[in-house]
Amino acid sequence: MFLSVTTTHTPATDLGYLLHKHPDRTQRFDVSTGTAHVFYPEATPERTTAALLLEIDPIGLVRKGGDTLGQYVNDRPYAASSLLAVAMGKVFGTAMRGRCDARPELAATPIPLEIHLPACPGALAERLFTPLGWTVAATRVPLDPAFPDWGDSPYADLRLSGTLRLADALTQLYVLLPVLDDAKHYWVAADEVDKLLRAGRSWLVTHPDRELITTRYLAHKRRYTVEALDRLTELDDRPAEDADEPEQPEREPSLAQLRREAIVGELRSLGVRRVVDMGCGEGRLLRELVTEPAFTEIVGVEVAARPLRTAARRVDRFAERQRERVTLHQGSVTYADPRVAGFDAIVLSEVVEHVDPPRLPALAATVFGAAKPRHVLMTTPNAEYNVRWETLPAGDFRHADHRFEWTRAEMTAWADGVCSAHGYDVRHVPVGPVDPEVGSPTQLAVFSRRTA
């Protein structure tokens, strides 16, 4: 197996500092499946290439296994796979951690890189590497150049080019090589989840195919895959509610944080003591609520199991007195639940737009009719504001799971209908910067039950 890393960063020979391998020396390393060699085919100030050559001992690889022919006749010594990833971890481990005492500023700097893998399962290469900033060129390798009629092999000559930190490039390869191959040469156990999170925490959380990557990396073992995906969700620095907004310029605070602050502020001014977060997701609003001693009982309700597990882990990290005030339930916003009846307030934050329109009467009957809280706080996107996001194509919703997005007039009409049917009054509060033409990005409706 062969892997090369090239840079044109000046001076390019500083690649030797980053890899902790001197360009003037050839080095040999014993690994569990054979021997790894590191050498530099070229090393000039303008362009330097470091190469990793892995020689596999095929007999040693299967010595502990059976004696079937398939264990001896295979592609393991030639095509990039988990074998090469393991060798990378041993040979380039310090570089993968981003440590370089001699050039710390260079280790933290994105530099131009070219990666070459002459034989690699390439079917998913573009899908996996392009979102990470790489330009991908995958050329199919023929089965045998002497016999073109045999067609192409399953492998590709893969070349990646991009400007990244070397540590990021190496950890991406470490994870994605076995993902491309969709096989591992060793038994996958629980510690593989930790390995994945260590290597992927800086980029995997935002990868559009993180579920595919996680599933393949963990050899399709469902228990480990579910655990890893839950933990990746926790690592995501971007609040879950931000997924309902297109990409925006960096600003403080985020729209999701502004929503939470507006909700907590309204609850506080209403004198609420007992509150339900209906559709609590991963529990980010719960985290805000427990910091307010005035809220003596807090209930989170979520229909989806995975975010509810994440919320439960978040609650477990609260201080003991905070945990005692929080209860979690699995439930739906469209089915009456006596456990949430009679509270001071129910919050529906970025929930209603995920409900199919024919189910909205059931939502209203559940929340305003059966549960009958004194107050209901509901936030939802303002569809009119979408034109202010250049990255949001015209006519698209802010999130793929949204069933609709209301204009301010549509929100007002729905809210007035609910008030008329269930005996509430409503006031509308803008959340986020108010545009004079299209209003605020988020609409907050505060419903209060009429006294008899």
Side-chain angles (χ1 to χ4, degrees):
M1 297 181 197
F2 183 85
L3 162 71
S4 69
V5 181
T6 301
T7 186
T8 55
H9 175 82
T10 305
T13 48
D14 278 357
L15 182 62
Y17 288 106
L18 295 178
L19 291 173
H20 301 264
K21 305 291 181 288
H22 198 287
D24 293 337
R25 297 209 322 258
T26 296
Q27 298 184 51
R28 177 183 183 276
F29 303 85
D30 291 328
V31 295
S32 59
T33 55
T35 305
H37 306 270
V38 177
F39 57 95
Y40 288 75
E42 57 180 337
T44 68
E46 295 74 33
R47 182 181 173 90
T48 295
T49 298
L52 170 62
L53 175 66
L54 178 61
E55 293 183 300
I56 297 296
D57 175 10
I59 302 301
L61 189 63
V62 299
R63 187 167 290 151
K64 294 182 179 180
D67 59 356
T68 61
L69 181 63
Q71 290 179 294
Y72 290 91
V73 182
N74 54 51
D75 64 355
R76 298 296 89 179
Y78 314 107
S81 65
S82 60
L83 296 163
L84 184 57
V86 169
M88 286 177 57
K90 178 168 184 177
V91 175
F92 297 142
T94 304
M96 288 171 59
R97 290 190 292 274
R99 179 181 171 186
C100 181
D101 295 339
R103 297 286 191 277
E105 73 291 342
L106 183 59
T109 302
I111 61 175
L113 293 170
E114 300 170 17
I115 307 294
H116 182 208
L117 292 155
C120 179
L124 292 174
E126 187 167 357
R127 177 175 169 183
L128 297 181
F129 285 101
T130 300
L132 300 173
W134 294 101
T135 298
V136 180
T139 305
R140 293 292 292 272
V141 177
L143 276 173
D144 191 326
F147 299 94
D149 291 345
W150 290 2
D152 291 332
S153 72
Y155 309 108
D157 181 295
L158 180 61
R159 295 178 184 270
L160 308 173
S161 58
T163 302
L164 295 84
R165 289 193 321 134
L166 179 66
D168 292 333
L170 294 176
T171 54
Q172 290 165 14
L173 287 168
Y174 177 82
V175 171
L176 295 180
L177 288 179
V179 171
L180 287 168
D181 187 43
D182 201 17
K184 281 202 168 181
H185 70 280
Y186 57 87
W187 180 255
V188 172
D191 63 335
E192 289 296 301
V193 175
D194 294 327
K195 289 183 187 178
L196 175 63
L197 297 181
R198 281 196 301 270
R201 64 183 302 145
S202 66
W203 56 271
L204 184 54
V205 288
T206 57
H207 197 292
D209 275 311
R210 73 178 182 184
E211 186 165 349
L212 171 71
I213 292 169
T214 302
T215 300
R216 283 181 163 228
Y217 183 86
L218 296 170
H220 300 268
K221 294 186 180 294
R222 177 170 175 76
R223 177 162 60 97
Y224 301 144
T225 300
V226 169
E227 178 188 348
L229 288 171
D230 285 346
R231 290 172 62 183
L232 280 169
T233 300
E234 288 185 23
L235 288 173
D236 193 347
D237 290 331
R238 187 185 182 195
E241 297 93 332
D242 281 350
D244 287 1
E245 273 80 49
E247 209 171 300
Q248 309 167 58
E250 194 76 22
R251 70 177 186 271
E252 284 292 335
S254 69
L255 181 56
Q257 183 60 32
L258 290 175
R259 273 198 297 268
R260 290 192 290 269
E261 290 175 358
I263 290 168
V264 172
E266 289 288 341
L267 292 172
R268 191 189 302 119
S269 67
L270 292 168
V272 166
R273 307 280 289 173
R274 303 171 64 240
V275 59
V276 178
D277 182 7
M278 185 73 75
C280 67
E282 298 164 1
R284 285 182 170 86
L285 179 59
L286 298 177
R287 183 176 57 192
E288 303 282 336
L289 294 173
V290 295
T291 63
E292 294 282 338
F295 305 138
T296 57
E297 184 178 358
I298 303 165
V299 175
V301 179
E302 173 58 43
V303 69
R306 182 177 294 164
L308 190 61
R309 287 195 297 269
T310 302
R313 283 199 294 272
R314 177 169 278 121
V315 171
D316 286 341
R317 294 195 293 269
F318 292 164
E320 183 177 356
R321 289 189 177 181
Q322 293 178 331
R323 285 199 307 270
E324 291 172 351
R325 294 153 50 209
V326 181
T327 306
L328 297 178
H329 299 308
Q330 188 166 19
S332 170
V333 73
T334 58
Y335 291 94
D337 186 343
R339 295 175 297 183
V340 299
F343 276 71
D344 294 334
I346 287 180
V347 176
L348 298 166
S349 182
E350 308 302 286
V351 171
V352 65
E353 64 273 10
H354 294 272
V355 177
D356 289 316
R359 300 291 294 159
L360 290 177
L363 179 149
T366 295
V367 174
F368 296 90
K372 251 179 208 176
R374 288 197 296 116
H375 307 282
V376 176
L377 279 68
M378 188 178 83
T379 71
T380 192
N382 170 19
E384 296 166 80
Y385 195 90
N386 291 352
V387 297
R388 294 296 181 254
W389 277 304
E390 295 180 0
T391 57
L392 186 64
D396 281 9
F397 292 154
R398 298 186 195 180
H399 189 272
D401 189 55
H402 285 186
R403 274 39 175 187
F404 60 87
E405 289 177 3
W406 279 328
T407 65
R408 287 170 291 174
E410 290 169 332
M411 169 70 157
T412 299
W414 186 84
D416 288 346
V418 166
C419 290
S420 176
H422 297 283
Y424 282 77
D425 294 315
V426 65
R427 57 188 172 87
H428 298 274
V429 180
V431 178
V434 177
D435 185 285
E437 295 181 5
V438 297
S440 61
T442 291
Q443 309 182 68
L444 167 59
V446 181
F447 299 84
S448 297
R449 198 172 71 233
R450 297 173 192 147
T451 56

